[in-house]
Amino acid sequence: HFPHIPPPLPESRLPKLLCNTQLLKLWHLQDRKFKRPIGELRLRIICANANKSPYHRACAELLCLLLHDATIETCYLASVCELENEIYANDVGFTLRVHGFDDRILDLTSEMLKTFFSFCGNTDVGDDNDKYQLPSAVKKHRFDACLEILRRRYGNAGLTASSFCSDIRLRCLRPTIWSASAKAHAIEDIDDKKFMETVADIMSKISIEGLHHGNVDKKDVEMAKEVILDAASGFQGLARKLHPKQQVSVVPQRENEHLIAPTLDPNEANTAVEVYFQCGKDDVRERVIVDLLMEIMYEPMFNQLRTKEQFGYQVSCGSRWTYGVIGMCFKVVTNCKSADEVTARIDKFIAEYRSELVSMKPETFMEHVVGLAKDKLQRFNSLEEEAGSLWAEIVEGRYDFEVHRNEAEVLRQLSKENLIETFDKYLLPPAPSTTPPPASSDTNPSTSTGANGKKKRKKKKAAGNFPRKLTVKVIGTAEGEASKGRPDVAINVDDEKEDVAVADVVDGKVMEFLKTTKNQTWGKIY
């Protein structure tokens, strides 16, 4: 039986917008479920120039390391009192999370924000040498130490075939996701003065959006508002239309859209293949159907390719929600099969599985529907889980705070025919044309002779549209079939620099793919 769907929550039980200005947009929800003396304060600091180049993004990530280093003593004392925090750079700026006992959350938030904004430089000083000095909270020689940590982090990124494959796919979909190698190149000659000048440029205009959730009432939220505005005093607000664009490229509808790359680590034996199908802009009905389709296909794919045929030790498929664009991804990591064999086997599995869907019994279909509905309606186990779900809606700009309930409502109305229709629409290639070419005395059937005696090329008539499909292959160095087709890009390069040469070549291949998209994007999602 389909599980009971609870009625919609009243507005008083959903996050409420208590402050809405260009500088600060603050949401509040008082906890009435877990009844613990804890709270969550999450802030997204949106900066107009945070991600406009690899150099800017690297400086933003270096800032997070320096902030953590400068506040390590304070954060240790706070952790003893069960107060934790974290900060990281993202595509639009920075995300700060402070959580723990609610009576001291704002004290730690105030300390973190004041130290964070002190990196903008001293605007009251006329001399640039004094204006762009590191804050006093940063101890001597710690800039070089944090810079070395960041460089090593970039050097260790994507060393496994699996992670590198996913990274390449995301960079093909998002032109403003910079590779670790590009960021490492950008900061080769950086010093503290250049860093501070860039940080001042990044945070020239900001906008803050936050969520205060837990054992906090309106009075506590007003205090949080004052703390945030006090720390950000002197900053100009950033209008929403000036927020960094979160564009996703449209994958071309072509028969073979492959991107082949070697592993960064010359000792990585594994080969990873991801076959990604792009569906389109986020829509609750399409999203639910794709979730259901991937949930149904996961076990048969694992059973056939992993258990029976031993194609690889990692076999999976699942839905993808890439910055508001729905997709489906099939992935295999292997050290015994070639990338071409894996790709062909995934394509064959997809083509053959349609008959399984058609012959699926109604009882089996309903079992999958009910199982997915139960997953979506499962209650949160902690305040952290609930805050994470609400925060995800705020970050994406969807603001559907009852998204799981709404998806269950749609799920209840689906039929097997809806599933097959979606399968045909997004996964199947067009059927080969059975119409024979017209008779012609010309040896080339794709040309004809015009009135001026010149041959004109006829456009071939497509049997149908190909799916928006992107295949990424990262080929390792294992002996035998698994390394077959591995590109040789490290010619005349020292072994120590081989990974650098590979990364640069892969960056070039990603740029070539983005050119084939002709800068087409899905535009504004929300």
Side-chain angles (χ1 to χ4, degrees), residues 46-53 56-58 60 90-94 202 244:
I46 303 166
C47 309
N49 299 324
N51 197 43
K52 75 176 184 181
S53 71
H56 282 73
R57 180 59 182 268
N90 54 43
D91 288 350
V92 297
F94 305 88
I202 288 173

Side-chain angles (χ1 to χ4, degrees), residues 144-186:
D144 291 335
C146 290
L147 181 59
E148 180 62 23
I149 292 171
L150 185 64
R151 284 173 172 158
R152 291 188 180 188
R153 185 179 295 177
Y154 291 153
N156 293 330
L159 290 184
T160 65
S162 178
S163 63
F164 193 41
C165 190
S166 298
D167 177 66
I168 293 173
R169 173 179 59 81
L170 284 172
R171 281 160 51 198
C172 288
L173 299 177
R174 282 293 312 280
T176 53
I177 293 181
W178 313 111
S179 68
S181 63
K183 290 184 285 188
H185 286 325

